[in-house]
Amino acid sequence: MHALTEAAIRRSMVNCSRSEAAALTPPRDLDDLDWAELDVLGWRDAKAELRGYLVHEQDDGVVGLALRAADTKMSSRRGAMCTLCRTVQPADQISLFTARRVGEAGRNGNTVGTYICADLDCAHRVLAVPRSAERLSEDLQALAVAEQAAGLRDRLRAFTADVLRR
Ligand SMILES: [Zn+2]
């Protein structure tokens, strides 16, 4: 994705109020990110424990989603899978997040919920060669990584469409 400024991130938020967008804490390392390798910018709000954000590019522009993490954690003894990047992790590192729907549905308290990596850093996880491809040639490893990234983009688009549905 293309580099974004703090202002552009705030402007991109589709499912929170203007004052909530103004109050969000942007990622600390914005200037150091390798934007070109990222399919989505995801982070937890350093000043609001349960808040998190996913910002990504769609054909018609940049879309930012404000999320709220469940305040209960799953057990670290179990495994769980992120629905966006499909990474399997100890379940306490996966969190249930809800996104308020836009428009009247959102004002009526309607949300979309899904399980996502608790740190929302799915974009970096899909850059790693999957275990199933570790013994393959470099070309095939690159292909596997590209497929992971494409899957992340597809599922993110579907999640976003759900949030935007009126
Ligand atoms: Zn993930």
Side-chain angles (χ1 to χ4, degrees):
M1 60 191 286
H2 296 95
L4 295 170
T5 61
E6 278 191 30
I9 287 173
R10 294 184 201 284
R11 264 199 314 272
S12 76
M13 291 293 150
V14 294
N15 67 333
C16 66
S17 69
R18 231 178 250 194
S19 59
E20 285 169 323
L24 72 79
T25 313
R28 234 165 310 190
D29 52 354
L30 218 48
D31 295 332
D32 306 325
L33 288 176
D34 183 355
W35 292 89
E37 69 172 14
L38 297 179
D39 283 305
V40 54
L41 176 65
W43 77 101
R44 292 290 289 263
D45 194 310
K47 292 186 185 142
E49 200 187 353
L50 297 178
R51 292 185 196 281
Y53 312 92
L54 289 171
V55 178
H56 70 124
E57 283 172 3
Q58 298 205 144
D59 296 340
D60 48 356
V62 182
V63 182
L65 301 176
L67 309 171
R68 190 178 174 83
D71 52 9
T72 52
K73 272 192 175 177
M74 293 186 283
S75 162
S76 62
R77 286 191 297 262
R78 290 177 42 223
M81 190 174 71
C82 170
T83 51
L84 291 183
C85 68
R86 296 267 165 98
T87 303
V88 175
Q89 304 201 69
D92 63 340
Q93 287 167 48
I94 303 277
S95 181
L96 174 63
F97 285 92
T98 51
R100 199 192 307 156
R101 280 209 157 97
V102 300
E104 199 182 338
R107 283 193 292 279
N108 290 335
N110 209 318
T111 60
V112 186
T114 193
Y115 289 90
I116 311 176
C117 296
D119 59 7
L120 297 170
D121 196 18
C122 302
H124 282 107
R125 292 203 176 86
V126 297
L127 298 175
V129 175
R131 194 169 292 169
S132 59
E134 271 170 4
R135 289 162 183 273
L136 303 178
S137 69
E138 258 179 49
D139 283 358
L140 289 175
Q141 289 185 350
L143 193 65
V145 169
E147 275 173 8
Q148 286 182 148
L152 171 61
R153 286 195 297 273
D154 284 351
R155 291 184 289 272
L156 197 53
R157 242 191 314 263
F159 182 57
T160 304
D162 239 4
V163 174
L164 295 176
R165 190 170 300 137
R166 288 167 187 271

